[in-house]
Structures are given as C-alpha cells and as structure tokens.
Amino acid sequence: MTLQPLTPVNCAGLLQQGFSLLQLDGEVLLFGQKGWPKRSCPTGVFGVRFKLGEMKLRAISFSNDSCYLPPLRCPAVCRLDPYDGLPESYLIHGGRTPNNEISTSLYLLTMDSRGCNRKLTLCCKEKELVGEVPGARYGHTMSMVQSHGKTACVLFGGRSYMPAGERTTENWNSVVDCPPQVFLFDMEFGCSSAHTLPELCDGQSFHLAVAREDCVYLLGGHSLSSDSRPPRLFRLRVELLQGSPLLSCETIETSISISSAIISRTGPTRYIILGGYQSDSQKRMECSTVILNEKGITFEALESPKWTQDITQSRTWFGGSAGEGTIILAVPTEGRPSQTEHYFYHVCFQTEGESKEDEEAQGCSQESTDYDNSTPLEDSEELYFGREPHELEDIDGEEGNYNEQDEEDESQTGYWMKCCLGCQLNPNTWEPYYSTELFRPAMIFCSRGEGGHWVHAQCMELSELLLLRLSEGSKKYFCMDHGGLPFQEMTPPRQVTPLKRTPLKVKDRKTPPTIKMSPAKKSFFRRLFD
C-alpha cells in the first residue's frame, strides 16, 4: 500500500470534482473534463498515463460513426465485461454538463480500433430506451445483473431539478431526490420498466453499488429529504423471469455511514472502499474491503494509507478508480501556495512486489504506447498496408501529450473577445439574448477595415429580425465604430434581361362581331339611352 504525490503535467485545469475514470483495453481513460472540449481534444476523453510521479493526458479520438458525448459530471457509469462475443464496454447515463444541465441520455462506449502505432480509437453510440424511461438525474448508480441466462441493467437513485410545475425564479437551481424507483432495462431491445418497492421509501444519491449475479447491494448514500447518511445496506435481488421480472429488497443494518466514496475492484468479487464523507463536516478516513460470495456480503477493515497533512486538513476530497487497487485522489489547495487548484495523489493498495511486477508487465506490453521516449515503428510494407497517413504519425512523443498552454484563451479570442470600445460582454455573467444563441454569443462580420472583423450582435444593438436578415444572402454590414451605420449595404443586383413572350396563335379562333355605325347613329343611341 502506497500513497505518492502526483504531478499533473499541463492538465490540472481539466480535472474537477465529478470526473470518471474508465478502463478499456488496458488503458485508463479520463471522462468528464472541466468545461467544454476544445480543439486539441474535441471528444473530451483523454488517455491517462502515470510515470515517475507524473500524470500526462493524451487526446482520444472517436470513430466517424460516433455520436457526440458531452463532458458529464457525476454520471452513472457501469462496466460491461466481455460476454457472448461482445467487447468490453461502458454504459454512461445522466450527469451534469458544464452549463449545469442534467442529461437524460444513455451512451454506450466501446473500443473501435487500434492503429498500427497502438493509437486507441473509441466508438460512442446513444442508446434509445422505450417504456418507463428514467428521467434526468446525476449522482445515481447502474449495475449489471444476470439471471436465468439473461442480462439486464439496474438503475437507482440520483438527484434532479424540481419538477417543471414547481420551479420558480427563487428555486430554479434547487435539486431534489429522485423518487425511490428501480429502473430495469435490457440492452438488446432497449425496453425499460420502473419498479417501486416498499423497503425503498426515501430517495438517495452518491451511494455505492456492487453486483454479483442476480443481486445488487446499495450501500450508504445521502438523502436530501432527511439530510442524513443512514448506516444501512439494501440487498436488491432481480429475477429475470419469462414475461415480467420479479424484484425483492432486503434491508441490512450496517455500521458504515458514507456518501461520495471511491470504490476500486481488486478481484472478481473483492472491492476496496476509500474516501467519502460520514457527515457534512467530517471525512471518512477509514478504508474497507468488500467481499461478495454465495452467502452475501461481508466487510473487513483495511489499513489506511499514511495520510499527509494536506489530506487530513482538507474539508473536501474526490477521485476515481484507475484500475485494480489503484485510486487517484485529489484535495483542494484551499489558499495554500500552489500552481494548481488541487493536490493529487496516487494510492495503490497492491504490495510492493505486485506493483513492481505490474510496472514491468506494463512496460513490456505497452512499450510502444509510452507517451515519451518511444521509438517509431519500422518502415515496412506490412505496417503501412491499409493505413492512413495520419495513423502513421508518432503520437507517443511529446507532441501527443495534452498541453493546456496550447489552448487559446477564449476570454481574449473567439466569441469572448472585446469586439469594440463599448463592449460589455462578460463570459462569466453572459446569458442568451437571441433565440438562436445556445452556448455562445451571436456575432456578425463588419466589412470595414483591413480584412474586416467580428463584433457581437448584442453590442451593436441589432434586433433579432435584422440579425437574421443580415445573415442571409450577400449583404454587407458596418459596425458602429466604422461609420455608426448598423445597416446592410446591398450588393448591386445582376441585370437580367426579361424574356419576350410572344403570344401563341390559336387556329380557328372566333373573334367577337363588330357593328359599324356612323357618328349620327352613335349620337342618336346615346341620347336615347341617356
């Protein structure tokens, strides 16, 4: 068991509370970055590499047929082990976006391919559910159960915003516990069903869930309605019978009161619990081992690492599991002098001999995936056959690592720049003004000056109708700083000569008869009818 400080190399700004760590094809992946993805990593998924007390990230790409995966905080993440010839994958449901919107989508993340230089490419698909579908939530759990030769996913808990009919201006951002319903859905057909059990009377979130065969154990969690962390354990049994499933629940009293803990798998039926909170002002400094067997679940005390002063004095902490018996832990600096917002630690519960063997095995099996000092592959026809040129680039050197300094400062460039002398746009307090705006302010191009420049439509006091009119066709616009004329200048229309249409001559057309009268007769008839 070791506790070592970890130094993030040019990536500390991406790690935030609520991120998730995944393991696919022997590689650790970071999901749920801080803020929206940028150009260097549009997918928002990074490969994580630990070496010599440093943590480096590398951008992970998606396949062309993948859907967009937003950076989600505190989602429900469930690992699907390979079965029936299917590859290992992850299910991701719910979570909060950087705009504090709560997602309702369900995503399936799998490995698509590896390039000749072992570059990992993922495939992300959004799964559609039918029936009684779980609503938007975060802080919940998902687990896989197997019964009678069938497999299903169990979802429980979480928090969400108040119902639409109860939300007002004062409580717009207030969250409540989701109803204590158990959702059961299968991945083959996407059928979802909701089940209410009498033992589950209060909603709970940020709990732990471990599963073995047809049983799911729900441990700890926090309830907003009672503002408590009850020391109890729920044993949920799911029987996937022909027709409709049968669910039963059993309540087991324990001495563990915990929420927001980190759980790491160390074997097929063994887990380690670390971190979390016993109360709002007290962290849980103890560690426990969880063992699942035919008889049920047992807890054993585990020796805790020698916590540093920064960890013991911090009020909050968070992290995630980076593999079997390996945990990444982060504590805020809380005003102490530091170049980053958090201190990071690498916790390993393996023995010293096992950790050395794993390092040697990782060095042998992944020698070509080292993020630096790696040798390029040989120039042979076998390696180049069927490969694209961009796949043959050496991404394992320093060029493949993510670097925050390479990103542009959006407060000075792009949508959040100072467009004019009177620009009052603040990226921290900005709210959508036009109906076409979603995450960024609307901008319009000014044709004056050398090459023109972009300005915010709201700063130019443009109405939405005029903005839509200017964005159509080949029209020019001049901002207030260049003449003060916020109007469009029409390009001269192209002169088109009209076509001469000659009437068609119709054969045998009958013309109306005409009566020939002299002027005397016309005068006589005029006086007669007048």
Side-chain angles (χ1 to χ4, degrees):
M1 180 190 308
T2 58
L3 174 66
Q4 297 179 350
L6 198 60
T7 303
V9 180
N10 297 326
C11 60
L14 293 177
L15 304 177
Q16 65 170 345
Q17 190 170 357
F19 72 87
S20 304
L21 291 178
L22 318 176
Q23 297 89 39
L24 278 178
D25 197 38
E27 189 163 348
V28 182
L29 305 176
L30 172 67
F31 168 69
Q33 68 166 54
K34 184 177 182 180
W36 293 100
K38 299 182 180 180
R39 295 191 189 98
S40 59
C41 184
T43 62
V45 180
F46 298 85
V48 186
R49 173 75 175 182
F50 308 104
K51 185 176 182 181
L52 301 177
E54 293 183 343
M55 178 174 61
K56 298 180 181 181
L57 301 184
R58 184 175 66 180
I60 299 296
S61 58
F62 283 0
S63 60
N64 294 332
D65 58 344
S66 297
C67 67
Y68 174 68
L69 179 65
L72 301 170
R73 291 176 295 159
C74 304
V77 179
C78 178
R79 175 182 171 85
L80 304 182
D81 293 327
Y83 67 95
D84 294 337
L86 299 177
E88 60 178 346
S89 56
Y90 275 90
L91 283 177
I92 302 174
H93 179 269
R96 304 184 70 167
T97 67
N99 289 353
N100 283 332
E101 298 175 351
I102 304 180
S103 173
T104 60
S105 302
L106 176 66
Y107 300 95
L108 178 65
L109 192 65
T110 59
M111 187 192 74
D112 182 75
S113 62
R114 276 194 181 272
C116 61
N117 48 11
R118 292 190 56 81
K119 179 182 178 181
L120 179 64
T121 302
L122 302 180
C123 178
C124 181
K125 296 289 187 180
E126 184 174 356
K127 306 292 291 186
E128 294 185 1
L129 299 178
V130 295
E132 298 172 314
V133 180
R137 61 189 65 200
Y138 70 99
H140 53 301
T141 57
M142 282 195 307
S143 306
M144 297 299 298
V145 293
Q146 297 179 356
S147 173
H148 300 280
K150 301 179 183 179
T151 304
C153 185
V154 179
L155 184 147
F156 177 74
R159 294 177 182 173
S160 183
Y161 289 128
M162 301 182 67
E166 301 178 9
R167 294 182 74 181
T168 61
T169 305
E170 290 76 13
N171 61 6
W172 188 259
N173 292 324
S174 301
V175 293
V176 294
D177 290 324
C178 294
Q181 291 180 312
V182 178
F183 290 90
L184 194 67
F185 52 87
D186 65 287
M187 296 306 301
E188 184 178 0
F189 302 102
C191 300
S192 176
S193 59
H195 305 268
T196 302
L197 302 175
E199 293 82 3
L200 302 175
C201 55
D202 296 327
Q204 64 186 53
S205 56
F206 297 102
H207 53 278
L208 297 177
V210 290
R212 183 182 183 273
E213 295 181 353
D214 61 348
C215 293
V216 179
Y217 298 89
L218 306 174
L219 174 63
H222 180 263
S223 177
L224 284 176
S225 58
S226 60
D227 192 16
S228 61
R229 297 169 175 84
R232 62 190 179 191
L233 172 70
F234 294 106
R235 180 178 180 267
L236 185 65
R237 185 179 181 184
V238 181
E239 295 185 59
L240 302 176
L241 303 177
Q242 191 74 21
S244 61
L246 179 62
L247 280 74
S248 60
C249 184
E250 178 185 359
T251 304
I252 304 174
E253 297 295 333
T254 64
S255 59
I256 299 179
S257 177
I258 191 173
S259 67
S260 303
I262 307 171
I263 187 167
S264 178
R265 187 175 181 178
T266 58
T269 58
R270 295 178 67 91
Y271 300 86
I272 291 178
I273 300 176
L274 178 141
Y277 303 91
Q278 293 180 347
S279 64
D280 293 340
S281 59
Q282 183 180 3
K283 303 194 305 294
R284 184 178 185 270
M285 309 301 295
E286 298 83 9
C287 299
S288 304
T289 301
V290 180
I291 303 175
L292 302 179
N293 50 33
E294 295 81 1
K295 299 180 181 180
I297 183 172
T298 57
F299 297 91
E300 296 180 358
L302 182 65
E303 181 184 0
S304 303
K306 296 181 180 179
W307 304 118
T308 63
Q309 186 177 4
D310 295 329
I311 296 178
T312 56
Q313 294 181 356
S314 66
R315 292 174 294 179
T316 60
W317 56 354
F318 61 93
S321 175
E324 292 190 357
T326 304
I327 292 175
I328 302 303
L329 198 62
V331 296
T333 56
E334 296 180 350
R336 291 184 290 270
S338 176
Q339 296 181 353
T340 60
E341 298 180 0
H342 300 88
Y343 296 125
F344 296 92
Y345 296 90
H346 189 241
V347 185
C348 183
F349 286 92
Q350 297 176 345
T351 61
E352 187 175 354
E354 291 176 349
S355 61
K356 286 184 178 179
E357 291 178 1
D358 289 347
E359 288 181 2
E360 293 176 0
Q362 186 180 24
C364 295
S365 62
Q366 296 185 0
E367 185 176 358
S368 61
T369 63
D370 194 349
Y371 282 30
D372 48 9
N373 301 328
S374 62
T375 57
L377 297 173
E378 295 181 359
D379 188 1
S380 64
E381 294 182 359
E382 294 180 349
L383 296 177
Y384 281 79
F385 178 77
R387 300 293 182 181
E388 298 294 335
H390 64 83
E391 294 188 56
L392 301 173
E393 298 176 358
D394 180 20
I395 61 171
D396 296 329
E398 295 295 336
E399 295 181 358
N401 296 335
Y402 176 84
N403 191 346
E404 289 181 331
Q405 299 177 356
D406 296 338
E407 298 287 1
E408 295 182 357
D409 186 4
E410 292 190 352
S411 61
Q412 301 295 332
T413 60
Y415 290 88
W416 309 106
M417 66 180 181
K418 189 176 180 62
C419 66
C420 60
L421 298 178
C423 181
Q424 301 294 330
L425 194 68
N426 187 350
N428 298 322
T429 61
W430 174 81
E431 295 181 355
Y433 181 77
Y434 302 99
S435 61
T436 57
E437 294 176 335
L438 187 59
F439 305 120
R440 295 169 178 172
M443 303 191 74
I444 188 169
F445 186 75
C446 174
S447 300
R448 288 283 174 87
E450 296 182 2
H453 63 100
W454 290 91
V455 291
H456 298 121
Q458 186 176 355
C459 296
M460 298 297 106
E461 300 179 358
L462 295 179
S463 63
E464 185 165 355
L465 182 60
L466 181 58
L467 179 61
L468 294 176
R469 194 183 307 162
L470 291 173
S471 61
E472 298 174 353
S474 55
K475 304 176 182 178
K476 294 183 179 180
Y477 170 79
F478 304 119
C479 69
M480 292 183 178
D481 291 344
H482 291 100
L485 297 175
F487 303 107
Q488 70 272 29
E489 184 183 85
M490 295 289 298
T491 56
R494 187 175 59 178
Q495 298 294 335
V496 180
T497 57
L499 296 176
K500 293 183 179 180
R501 297 183 178 272
T502 57
L504 297 177
K505 294 183 178 180
V506 182
K507 294 182 177 181
D508 300 334
R509 184 174 60 179
K510 296 181 179 180
T511 58
T514 57
I515 301 176
K516 297 182 179 180
M517 291 186 298
S518 62
K521 289 183 179 181
K522 290 182 180 179
S523 176
F524 171 75
F525 283 112
R526 189 179 297 114
R527 289 194 305 268
L528 178 63
F529 289 105
D530 289 342

PDB file of all heavy atoms in Angstrom, residues 23-37:
ATOM      1  N   GLN A  23     -11.605   2.092 -17.855  1.00  0.00           N
ATOM      2  CA  GLN A  23     -10.515   1.218 -18.292  1.00  0.00           C
ATOM      3  C   GLN A  23     -11.000   0.404 -19.482  1.00  0.00           C
ATOM      4  O   GLN A  23     -11.896  -0.448 -19.331  1.00  0.00           O
ATOM      5  CB  GLN A  23     -10.051   0.285 -17.169  1.00  0.00           C
ATOM      6  CG  GLN A  23      -9.455   0.997 -15.963  1.00  0.00           C
ATOM      7  CD  GLN A  23     -10.477   1.360 -14.920  1.00  0.00           C
ATOM      8  OE1 GLN A  23     -11.397   0.576 -14.662  1.00  0.00           O
ATOM      9  NE2 GLN A  23     -10.341   2.510 -14.289  1.00  0.00           N
ATOM     10  N   LEU A  24     -10.417   0.658 -20.642  1.00  0.00           N
ATOM     11  CA  LEU A  24     -10.752  -0.065 -21.863  1.00  0.00           C
ATOM     12  C   LEU A  24      -9.471  -0.554 -22.522  1.00  0.00           C
ATOM     13  O   LEU A  24      -8.551   0.237 -22.761  1.00  0.00           O
ATOM     14  CB  LEU A  24     -11.528   0.822 -22.839  1.00  0.00           C
ATOM     15  CG  LEU A  24     -13.040   0.958 -22.607  1.00  0.00           C
ATOM     16  CD1 LEU A  24     -13.640   1.912 -23.625  1.00  0.00           C
ATOM     17  CD2 LEU A  24     -13.720  -0.399 -22.698  1.00  0.00           C
ATOM     18  N   ASP A  25      -9.432  -1.840 -22.793  1.00  0.00           N
ATOM     19  CA  ASP A  25      -8.292  -2.458 -23.481  1.00  0.00           C
ATOM     20  C   ASP A  25      -6.976  -2.148 -22.767  1.00  0.00           C
ATOM     21  O   ASP A  25      -5.955  -1.856 -23.392  1.00  0.00           O
ATOM     22  CB  ASP A  25      -8.232  -1.997 -24.937  1.00  0.00           C
ATOM     23  CG  ASP A  25      -7.358  -2.892 -25.785  1.00  0.00           C
ATOM     24  OD1 ASP A  25      -7.382  -4.115 -25.563  1.00  0.00           O
ATOM     25  OD2 ASP A  25      -6.643  -2.367 -26.661  1.00  0.00           O
ATOM     26  N   GLY A  26      -7.013  -2.199 -21.431  1.00  0.00           N
ATOM     27  CA  GLY A  26      -5.809  -1.981 -20.646  1.00  0.00           C
ATOM     28  C   GLY A  26      -5.362  -0.543 -20.540  1.00  0.00           C
ATOM     29  O   GLY A  26      -4.250  -0.285 -20.048  1.00  0.00           O
ATOM     30  N   GLU A  27      -6.161   0.410 -20.971  1.00  0.00           N
ATOM     31  CA  GLU A  27      -5.783   1.818 -20.915  1.00  0.00           C
ATOM     32  C   GLU A  27      -6.774   2.579 -20.043  1.00  0.00           C
ATOM     33  O   GLU A  27      -7.986   2.360 -20.103  1.00  0.00           O
ATOM     34  CB  GLU A  27      -5.759   2.420 -22.324  1.00  0.00           C
ATOM     35  CG  GLU A  27      -5.155   3.819 -22.370  1.00  0.00           C
ATOM     36  CD  GLU A  27      -4.775   4.227 -23.774  1.00  0.00           C
ATOM     37  OE1 GLU A  27      -4.768   3.337 -24.658  1.00  0.00           O
ATOM     38  OE2 GLU A  27      -4.480   5.410 -23.996  1.00  0.00           O
ATOM     39  N   VAL A  28      -6.243   3.469 -19.210  1.00  0.00           N
ATOM     40  CA  VAL A  28      -7.060   4.290 -18.316  1.00  0.00           C
ATOM     41  C   VAL A  28      -7.509   5.534 -19.072  1.00  0.00           C
ATOM     42  O   VAL A  28      -6.693   6.220 -19.708  1.00  0.00           O
ATOM     43  CB  VAL A  28      -6.279   4.674 -17.048  1.00  0.00           C
ATOM     44  CG1 VAL A  28      -7.156   5.493 -16.100  1.00  0.00           C
ATOM     45  CG2 VAL A  28      -5.771   3.429 -16.336  1.00  0.00           C
ATOM     46  N   LEU A  29      -8.800   5.836 -19.009  1.00  0.00           N
ATOM     47  CA  LEU A  29      -9.377   6.965 -19.724  1.00  0.00           C
ATOM     48  C   LEU A  29     -10.014   7.921 -18.739  1.00  0.00           C
ATOM     49  O   LEU A  29     -10.652   7.503 -17.769  1.00  0.00           O
ATOM     50  CB  LEU A  29     -10.430   6.489 -20.734  1.00  0.00           C
ATOM     51  CG  LEU A  29      -9.977   5.438 -21.750  1.00  0.00           C
ATOM     52  CD1 LEU A  29     -11.151   4.998 -22.598  1.00  0.00           C
ATOM     53  CD2 LEU A  29      -8.859   5.979 -22.628  1.00  0.00           C
ATOM     54  N   LEU A  30      -9.847   9.211 -18.997  1.00  0.00           N
ATOM     55  CA  LEU A  30     -10.455  10.273 -18.190  1.00  0.00           C
ATOM     56  C   LEU A  30     -11.647  10.833 -18.952  1.00  0.00           C
ATOM     57  O   LEU A  30     -11.536  11.217 -20.123  1.00  0.00           O
ATOM     58  CB  LEU A  30      -9.449  11.391 -17.908  1.00  0.00           C
ATOM     59  CG  LEU A  30     -10.012  12.653 -17.242  1.00  0.00           C
ATOM     60  CD1 LEU A  30     -10.462  12.358 -15.830  1.00  0.00           C
ATOM     61  CD2 LEU A  30      -8.987  13.781 -17.247  1.00  0.00           C
ATOM     62  N   PHE A  31     -12.792  10.895 -18.280  1.00  0.00           N
ATOM     63  CA  PHE A  31     -14.021  11.403 -18.885  1.00  0.00           C
ATOM     64  C   PHE A  31     -14.677  12.378 -17.916  1.00  0.00           C
ATOM     65  O   PHE A  31     -14.689  12.154 -16.711  1.00  0.00           O
ATOM     66  CB  PHE A  31     -14.979  10.254 -19.201  1.00  0.00           C
ATOM     67  CG  PHE A  31     -16.367  10.695 -19.553  1.00  0.00           C
ATOM     68  CD1 PHE A  31     -16.619  11.360 -20.736  1.00  0.00           C
ATOM     69  CD2 PHE A  31     -17.423  10.460 -18.699  1.00  0.00           C
ATOM     70  CE1 PHE A  31     -17.889  11.785 -21.062  1.00  0.00           C
ATOM     71  CE2 PHE A  31     -18.697  10.865 -19.009  1.00  0.00           C
ATOM     72  CZ  PHE A  31     -18.934  11.527 -20.195  1.00  0.00           C
ATOM     73  N   GLY A  32     -15.233  13.462 -18.448  1.00  0.00           N
ATOM     74  CA  GLY A  32     -15.883  14.466 -17.612  1.00  0.00           C
ATOM     75  C   GLY A  32     -14.954  15.616 -17.273  1.00  0.00           C
ATOM     76  O   GLY A  32     -14.827  15.997 -16.113  1.00  0.00           O
ATOM     77  N   GLN A  33     -14.301  16.188 -18.282  1.00  0.00           N
ATOM     78  CA  GLN A  33     -13.343  17.259 -18.055  1.00  0.00           C
ATOM     79  C   GLN A  33     -14.050  18.520 -17.573  1.00  0.00           C
ATOM     80  O   GLN A  33     -15.264  18.658 -17.649  1.00  0.00           O
ATOM     81  CB  GLN A  33     -12.596  17.560 -19.352  1.00  0.00           C
ATOM     82  CG  GLN A  33     -13.493  18.195 -20.419  1.00  0.00           C
ATOM     83  CD  GLN A  33     -12.706  18.796 -21.558  1.00  0.00           C
ATOM     84  OE1 GLN A  33     -11.903  18.129 -22.164  1.00  0.00           O
ATOM     85  NE2 GLN A  33     -12.933  20.052 -21.837  1.00  0.00           N
ATOM     86  N   LYS A  34     -13.280  19.457 -17.090  1.00  0.00           N
ATOM     87  CA  LYS A  34     -13.811  20.745 -16.655  1.00  0.00           C
ATOM     88  C   LYS A  34     -14.025  21.635 -17.876  1.00  0.00           C
ATOM     89  O   LYS A  34     -13.123  21.864 -18.669  1.00  0.00           O
ATOM     90  CB  LYS A  34     -12.840  21.411 -15.681  1.00  0.00           C
ATOM     91  CG  LYS A  34     -13.362  22.716 -15.089  1.00  0.00           C
ATOM     92  CD  LYS A  34     -12.385  23.274 -14.077  1.00  0.00           C
ATOM     93  CE  LYS A  34     -12.931  24.552 -13.447  1.00  0.00           C
ATOM     94  NZ  LYS A  34     -11.977  25.116 -12.458  1.00  0.00           N
ATOM     95  N   GLY A  35     -15.228  22.160 -18.034  1.00  0.00           N
ATOM     96  CA  GLY A  35     -15.542  22.999 -19.183  1.00  0.00           C
ATOM     97  C   GLY A  35     -15.860  22.162 -20.409  1.00  0.00           C
ATOM     98  O   GLY A  35     -15.889  20.929 -20.385  1.00  0.00           O
ATOM     99  N   TRP A  36     -16.104  22.864 -21.513  1.00  0.00           N
ATOM    100  CA  TRP A  36     -16.426  22.196 -22.772  1.00  0.00           C
ATOM    101  C   TRP A  36     -15.150  21.796 -23.499  1.00  0.00           C
ATOM    102  O   TRP A  36     -14.113  22.448 -23.350  1.00  0.00           O
ATOM    103  CB  TRP A  36     -17.273  23.107 -23.654  1.00  0.00           C
ATOM    104  CG  TRP A  36     -18.630  23.362 -23.110  1.00  0.00           C
ATOM    105  CD1 TRP A  36     -19.050  24.466 -22.431  1.00  0.00           C
ATOM    106  CD2 TRP A  36     -19.754  22.494 -23.163  1.00  0.00           C
ATOM    107  NE1 TRP A  36     -20.364  24.337 -22.069  1.00  0.00           N
ATOM    108  CE2 TRP A  36     -20.832  23.135 -22.508  1.00  0.00           C
ATOM    109  CE3 TRP A  36     -19.971  21.226 -23.712  1.00  0.00           C
ATOM    110  CZ2 TRP A  36     -22.088  22.561 -22.378  1.00  0.00           C
ATOM    111  CZ3 TRP A  36     -21.228  20.655 -23.592  1.00  0.00           C
ATOM    112  CH2 TRP A  36     -22.264  21.318 -22.934  1.00  0.00           C
ATOM    113  N   PRO A  37     -15.179  20.731 -24.292  1.00  0.00           N
ATOM    114  CA  PRO A  37     -13.988  20.312 -25.048  1.00  0.00           C
ATOM    115  C   PRO A  37     -13.506  21.395 -26.005  1.00  0.00           C
ATOM    116  O   PRO A  37     -14.286  22.194 -26.516  1.00  0.00           O
ATOM    117  CB  PRO A  37     -14.465  19.068 -25.806  1.00  0.00           C
ATOM    118  CG  PRO A  37     -15.634  18.568 -25.037  1.00  0.00           C
ATOM    119  CD  PRO A  37     -16.298  19.789 -24.471  1.00  0.00           C
TER     120      PRO A  37
END
